[in-house]
């Protein structure tokens, strides 16, 4: 396989922008499938949405991988990712291992909230991308508005590579602004691309659009700028080379367009993927030396070098664990053993498969640049595998913290065992899904990214494990944070006949500024050996151990800086344990002097409603303690961006439907933690106390 002709790409977008519909067309035109299935409306459902729940709800829940081949011998490994923010980790881990991406945008909705989240994820992993404006056949489609939003909201240099022929119901095809040819898509499924001269009525507009494109591209090439000024003819190959370089440096976002549902504009996008997005050879690999994590470790996509790969996704399978792996260096061979760099354990790669959604094809070897699945190995999501032990580790993926909790119980013990198996499996598969036991109530609690996230897992437990579970009302993950400084001077003395315990710490606690990245900072300012160096980490351990449960209502403590300035010790009675105990007791006593306050998760919510319902919806948002950020009319609909406390959003979809006669939709994602108003804090604390009393009784 020629690595320069391999493309590992993902399709990402806001929910309902047409990602899966686009993936289905790519599979069809590349000859991978012979009949197009739709996401909604009859049939067996789209190929990449293979779970029953995905087909019933018409949404993508889990990312699916496949491989297609395009003109010129190009191999494209394609991952279709979910759009709903609750499944954001699927996008996160896919983008971590991909070399390029397609950002799908709705021609009517433009840049929506999840488009911005996906954009941040692409930038986090430095993934070059192309943009595809989908649904050009819909009423209200406006490609120029979408490009303007990409520039303003995403800060990307978006440049149109095509111009539409007709719009809305009359959308017929596109004009290629590089070749200056009109492209039409004939046949029952748009499989035949017909080139024609540009329609006379569009000639002047397309000349102007091409000029604008050339001026934008000249910012990346001095020679192109000179030739433009000299009004010379510019060859298409020269333009392709400039675009490729600018895309791969993540400077330029070329914009293509079409209607995947109406089978228009997909083949030119496939050409652009092969032409502009990088191969594994073009992408630097970030790895760290195992022995010295601060030191970069050079890797290259060379099949002859020692194997290095990342297990980026885990799925339980009837035949054992299925581990999706991206190979960064070397070759893997069926039956060989490789080392998990985190655990040091040897794992035998007994079976290697190429995935096509839920179907698989057995292979004997796979080389650098490939994405495959390995059956039966034991590992966690994000683990690095290598041919040698203690070799190197790859840069890990970002995993957001869960914001919502829910108690889950079963009616009998047999069901409890099955539930335990299900929860163990789901926590291995999904790093944003957490399971814990409430110490006070002894209930099993599941935590996730949103109501839909937990609802899907509960439904999967019922269907896949045949367990009838009872679910408690969703609970908000509050935090406790200090609001003022407090000094401490605390001694811990204990005499018990033999050697006693003695520790003395002195310093101050202060709140961290709002929005600080760290939740806890420890600063050691002890001089002159007043506390021996070996006991300083013990003090930090004691403070850290106190953060799990705050004194206000038992929620985790965040946003605190602990400064140790002075203290004393005893030659015989001081120990690691004495200083840990001292720090814990000191923290418990001093934290209450800092006027601790509750913080609640605030969600960034984007609501789309018919304009005549704007007033009631805005009023309802304000009544839920919401803050309106912006309100924008787009034809017959209004887009309202607001910030709402998570506790006020439970069940909001039903309320929004009643307010808008079933026509309103909304999406949300976690934005930040913010202080709870005093009256509400008192109610939360009272409720927590009451619950504790009931448990005690």
């Amino acid at each position: 396989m020629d690595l320069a002709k391999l493309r590992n790409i993902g399709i990402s977008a806001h929910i309902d922008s047409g990602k899966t519909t686009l993936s289905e067309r790519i599979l069809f035109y590349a000859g991978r499938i012979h009949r197009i299935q739709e996401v909604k409306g009859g049939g067996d459902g789209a190929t990449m949405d293979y779970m029953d729940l995905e087909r019933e709800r018409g949404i993508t829940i889990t990312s699916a991988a496949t491989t297609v081949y395009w003109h010129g011998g190009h191999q494209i490994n394609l991952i279709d990712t979910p759009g709903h923010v609750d499944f954001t980790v699927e996008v996160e881990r896919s983008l971590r291992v991909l070399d390029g991406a397609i950002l799908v945008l709705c021609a009517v909705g433009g840049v929506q909230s999840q488009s911005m989240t996906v954009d941040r994820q692409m930038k986090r992993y430095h993934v070059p991308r192309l943009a595809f404006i989908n649904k050009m056949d819909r009423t209200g489609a406006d490609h120029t508005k979408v490009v303007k939003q990409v520039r303003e909201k995403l800060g990307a240099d978006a440049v149109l590579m095509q111009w539409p022929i007709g719009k809305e119901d009359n959308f017929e095809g596109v004009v290629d602004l590089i070749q200056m040819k009109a492209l039409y898509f004939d046949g029952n499924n748009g499989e035949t691309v017909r080139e024609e001269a540009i329609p006379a009525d569009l000639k002047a507009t397309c000349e102007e659009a091409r000029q604008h494109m050339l001026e934008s591209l000249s910012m990346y090439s001095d020679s192109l700028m000179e030739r433009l000024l000299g009004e010379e003819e510019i060859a298409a190959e020269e333009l392709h080379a400039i675009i490729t370089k600018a895309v791969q440096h993540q400077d330029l976002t070329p914009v293509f367009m079409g209607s995947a549902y109406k089978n228009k504009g997909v083949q030119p996008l496939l050409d652009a993927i092969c032409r502009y997005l990088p191969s594994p050879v073009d992408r630097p690999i970030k790895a760290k030396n195992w022995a010295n994590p601060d030191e970069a470790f050079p890797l290259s996509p060379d099949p002859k070098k020692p194997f290095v790969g990342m297990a980026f996704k885990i799925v339980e399978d009837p035949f054992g664990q299925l581990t999706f792996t991206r190979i960064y260096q070397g070759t893997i061979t069926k039956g060989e053993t490789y080392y998990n760099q985190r655990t040091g354990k040897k794992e035998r790669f007994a079976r290697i498969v190429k995935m096509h959604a839920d179907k698989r094809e057995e292979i004997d070897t796979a080389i650098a640049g490939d994405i495959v699945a390995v059956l039966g190995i034991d590992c966690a999501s994000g683990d690095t595998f290598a041919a040698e032990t203690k070799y190197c580790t790859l840069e890990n993926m970002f995993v957001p913290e869960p914001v919502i909790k829910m108690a889950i119980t079963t009616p009998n013990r047999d069901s409890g065992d099955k539930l335990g198996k299900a929860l163990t499996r789901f926590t291995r598969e999904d790093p944003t899904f957490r399971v814990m036991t409430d110490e006070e109530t002894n209930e099993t609690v599941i935590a996730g990214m949103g109501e839909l996230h937990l609802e899907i897992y509960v439904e999967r437990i019922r269907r896949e494990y045949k367990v009838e579970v009872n679910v408690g009302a969703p609970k908000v993950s509050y935090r406790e944070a200090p609001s003022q400084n407090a000094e401490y001077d605390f001694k811990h003395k204990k005499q018990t006949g033999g050697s006693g315990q003695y520790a003395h710490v002195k310093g101050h606690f202060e709140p961290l500024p709002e929005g600080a990245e760290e939740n806890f900072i420890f600063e050691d300012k002890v001089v002159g050996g007043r506390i021996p160096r070996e006991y300083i980490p013990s003090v930090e351990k004691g403070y850290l151990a106190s953060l799990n449960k705050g004194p206000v209502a038992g929620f985790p403590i965040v946003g605190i800086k602990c400064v140790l300035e002075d203290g004393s010790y005893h030659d015989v009675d001081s120990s690691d344990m004495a200083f840990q105990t001292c720090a814990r007791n000191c923290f418990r006593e001093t934290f209450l002097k800092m006027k601790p306050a509750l913080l609640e998760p605030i969600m960034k919510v984007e609501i789309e409603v018919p304009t005549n319902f704007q007033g009631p919806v805005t009023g309802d948002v304000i009544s839920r303690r919401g803050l309106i950020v912006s309100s924008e009319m787009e034809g017959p609909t209004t887009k309202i961006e607001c910030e709402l406390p998570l506790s006020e959003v439970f069940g909001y979809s039903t309320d929004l439907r009643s307010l808008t006669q079933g026509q309103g939709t909304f999406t949300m994602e976690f934005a930040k933690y913010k202080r709870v108003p005093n009256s509400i804090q008192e109610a939360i604390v009272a409720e927590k106390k009451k619950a504790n009393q009931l448990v005690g009784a």
Side-chain angles (χ1 to χ4, degrees):
M1 181 176 70
D2 182 358
L3 273 186
K5 290 192 171 181
L6 174 64
R7 300 289 180 271
N8 290 313
I9 64 149
I11 299 182
S12 303
H14 183 87
I15 192 166
D16 212 21
S17 295
K19 298 175 299 304
T20 305
T21 306
L22 176 61
S23 303
E24 193 76 2
R25 294 334 185 251
I26 289 173
L27 297 183
F28 178 75
Y29 297 131
R32 185 69 171 154
I33 57 173
H34 304 292
R35 186 163 69 94
I36 293 172
Q37 299 280 14
E38 299 306 345
V39 176
K40 296 174 186 173
D44 299 326
T47 308
M48 301 296 263
D49 283 353
Y50 57 84
M51 284 170 63
D52 290 343
L53 273 170
E54 291 179 312
R55 290 176 172 179
E56 283 169 25
R57 290 172 180 252
I59 59 168
T60 302
I61 292 167
T62 178
S63 53
T66 189
T67 302
V68 298
Y69 295 89
W70 193 237
H71 305 156
H74 284 93
Q75 177 183 326
I76 302 172
N77 290 331
L78 175 75
I79 296 183
D80 173 32
T81 61
H84 200 288
V85 71
D86 284 14
F87 310 108
T88 190
V89 75
E90 289 287 336
V91 186
E92 199 76 49
R93 57 182 165 199
S94 300
L95 288 174
R96 167 62 190 84
V97 298
L98 293 170
D99 300 322
I102 302 164
L103 176 63
V104 182
L105 299 158
C106 172
V108 183
V111 173
Q112 295 161 285
S113 60
Q114 190 63 7
S115 321
M116 294 160 85
T117 304
V118 167
D119 172 70
R120 280 199 302 275
Q121 290 169 320
M122 288 176 182
K123 286 172 180 166
R124 182 180 292 136
Y125 300 114
H126 308 288
V127 178
R129 76 296 186 69
L130 310 175
F132 181 72
I133 303 175
N134 194 22
K135 305 191 178 185
M136 284 298 294
D137 58 308
R138 276 187 54 190
T139 306
D142 185 345
H143 60 290
T144 53
K145 179 198 78 175
V146 178
V147 170
K148 188 181 174 201
Q149 286 182 356
V150 172
R151 286 173 165 270
E152 290 172 359
K153 292 187 178 182
L154 306 183
D157 186 11
V159 178
L160 281 168
M161 298 286 129
Q162 297 173 333
W163 195 264
I165 302 170
K167 60 188 262 188
E168 299 177 349
D169 288 346
N170 301 318
F171 177 65
E172 294 175 41
V174 293
V175 172
D176 179 341
L177 296 177
I178 291 179
Q179 303 281 1
M180 287 304 276
K181 285 182 179 170
L183 305 177
Y184 297 93
F185 304 89
D186 300 337
N188 293 336
N189 296 302
E191 57 269 38
T192 310
V193 182
R194 172 168 51 95
E195 289 186 1
E196 296 282 349
I198 298 169
D201 59 332
L202 276 180
K203 193 90 173 146
T205 308
C206 290
E207 289 286 358
E208 194 182 317
R210 177 181 163 84
Q211 192 59 31
H212 179 73
M213 176 193 76
L214 293 173
E215 284 166 11
S216 299
L217 295 179
S218 70
M219 303 307 290
Y220 303 102
S221 166
D222 293 339
S223 67
L224 177 60
M225 189 172 276
E226 285 167 21
R227 297 178 70 177
L228 269 180
L229 293 169
E231 296 185 356
E232 295 175 41
E233 196 61 39
I234 297 147
E237 285 314 309
E238 187 182 342
L239 292 178
H240 291 320
I242 294 165
I243 295 166
T244 302
K245 192 176 174 186
V247 167
Q248 294 187 11
H249 281 110
Q250 294 123 52
D251 295 324
L252 178 72
T253 302
V255 182
F256 298 84
M257 64 188 71
S259 166
Y261 185 67
K262 293 286 175 71
N263 310 312
K264 290 179 170 63
V266 179
Q267 295 96 320
L269 178 66
L270 275 164
D271 292 335
I273 288 167
C274 299
R275 195 173 272 141
Y276 305 134
L277 289 179
S279 71
V281 179
D282 306 315
R283 291 270 288 160
I285 307 163
K286 286 188 178 178
K288 293 170 184 172
N289 190 328
W290 195 93
N292 180 8
D294 295 330
E295 188 183 298
F297 192 90
L299 294 177
S300 67
D302 182 346
K304 294 183 178 65
K305 287 194 171 183
F307 159 68
V308 177
M310 176 184 255
F312 67 94
K313 178 178 170 164
I314 288 162
V315 179
E316 283 293 328
D317 187 84
F319 305 103
Q321 182 172 296
L322 196 61
T323 306
F324 285 78
T325 306
R326 161 75 196 256
I327 305 166
Y328 284 97
Q329 179 177 283
T331 303
I332 56 170
T333 308
K334 179 179 169 180
E336 291 293 315
T337 54
Y338 302 100
Y339 290 90
N340 184 325
Q341 300 294 291
R342 179 178 61 86
T343 63
K345 284 184 183 173
K346 274 200 301 191
E347 294 284 349
R348 185 167 175 268
F349 285 24
R351 288 173 69 195
I352 306 166
V353 294
K354 271 275 194 196
M355 296 301 292
H356 171 53
D358 59 337
K359 296 179 179 65
R360 61 199 63 178
E361 170 195 330
E362 296 258 355
I363 55 172
D364 293 330
T365 61
I367 64 167
D370 237 334
I371 292 176
V372 294
V374 182
L375 269 152
I377 60 172
D378 182 28
C379 68
S381 191
D383 281 355
T384 301
F385 278 92
E388 300 167 25
T389 183
K390 298 181 182 177
Y391 187 63
C392 73
T393 55
L394 292 157
E395 182 189 36
N396 217 323
M397 62 193 86
F398 171 76
V399 178
E401 284 296 310
V403 295
I404 181 173
K405 292 177 183 172
M406 198 182 267
I408 185 166
T409 54
T410 55
N412 55 53
R413 192 168 188 164
D414 287 352
S415 300
D417 293 344
K418 285 184 186 172
L419 175 65
K421 280 182 188 169
L423 296 179
T424 304
R425 170 192 165 186
F426 295 145
T427 48
R428 284 167 72 89
E429 288 184 3
D430 182 350
T432 59
F433 179 74
R434 311 275 171 88
V435 179
M436 58 211 79
T437 304
D438 189 313
E439 289 172 18
E440 287 153 7
T441 61
N442 215 21
E443 285 179 312
T444 301
V445 175
I446 55 174
M449 301 306 297
E451 274 187 285
L452 180 64
H453 189 208
L454 297 184
E455 197 184 300
I456 292 291
Y457 277 119
V458 168
E459 190 58 33
R460 285 185 67 186
I461 289 165
R462 285 175 181 149
R463 290 185 185 203
E464 295 171 30
Y465 288 84
K466 306 287 186 284
V467 176
E468 198 43 59
V469 290
N470 304 316
V471 177
K475 290 176 188 166
V476 178
S477 294
Y478 291 102
R479 299 283 185 267
E480 296 183 20
S483 54
Q484 64 181 38
N485 289 13
E487 294 189 352
Y488 60 86
D489 184 348
F490 192 89
K491 264 185 193 164
H492 170 65
K493 280 169 92 172
K494 199 174 182 186
Q495 205 63 41
T496 52
S499 62
Q501 286 191 8
Y502 179 90
H504 174 209
V505 290
K506 195 174 176 181
H508 71 274
F509 296 143
E510 59 185 76
L512 289 171
E514 202 174 305
E517 282 194 16
E518 302 98 335
N519 281 328
F520 169 80
I521 293 175
F522 176 75
E523 197 174 315
D524 166 26
K525 287 189 175 177
V526 176
V527 289
R530 302 276 294 163
I531 299 176
R533 301 313 311 159
E534 66 265 27
Y535 296 143
I536 303 291
S538 311
V539 178
E540 185 178 359
K541 268 187 204 168
Y543 288 152
L544 265 170
S546 308
L547 300 180
N548 295 332
K549 201 170 180 185
V552 179
F555 295 109
I557 294 169
V558 296
I560 190 165
K561 183 178 182 179
C562 305
V563 182
L564 179 63
E565 295 165 342
D566 199 359
S568 61
Y569 72 103
H570 188 278
D571 287 333
V572 178
D573 292 349
S574 287
S575 64
D576 166 54
M577 190 48 69
F579 271 95
Q580 279 197 50
T581 308
C582 178
R584 279 200 303 272
N585 294 340
C586 166
F587 189 94
R588 199 175 300 129
E589 183 182 284
T590 314
F591 186 71
L592 287 166
K593 297 175 187 170
M594 300 181 76
K595 290 199 174 167
L598 282 188
L599 304 181
E600 62 181 338
I602 302 293
M603 310 305 284
K604 179 182 167 193
V605 182
E606 194 174 274
I607 307 165
E608 281 191 34
V609 294
T611 302
N612 54 322
F613 294 113
Q614 182 187 352
V617 171
T618 305
D620 181 60
V621 165
I622 293 163
S623 73
R624 293 170 184 264
R625 300 191 286 123
L627 173 72
I628 304 289
V629 177
S630 71
S631 185
E632 201 178 316
M633 279 177 66
E634 291 176 353
T637 63
T638 294
K639 191 188 285 183
I640 302 163
E641 273 186 33
C642 59
E643 289 180 351
L644 269 167
L646 177 62
S647 58
E648 302 286 348
V649 191
F650 294 141
Y652 184 56
S653 51
T654 311
D655 296 345
L656 182 64
R657 283 193 203 109
S658 348
L659 277 170
T660 59
Q661 294 173 9
Q663 298 170 69
T665 60
F666 81 102
T667 56
M668 68 172 182
E669 63 180 305
F670 173 71
K672 59 190 174 191
Y673 272 95
K674 195 175 173 184
R675 189 168 173 168
V676 175
N678 286 339
S679 58
I680 290 167
Q681 176 167 325
E682 285 165 17
I684 294 165
V685 172
E687 196 180 314
K688 191 82 175 174
K689 276 183 185 166
K690 191 178 170 187
N692 291 349
Q693 283 165 0
L694 286 170
V695 172

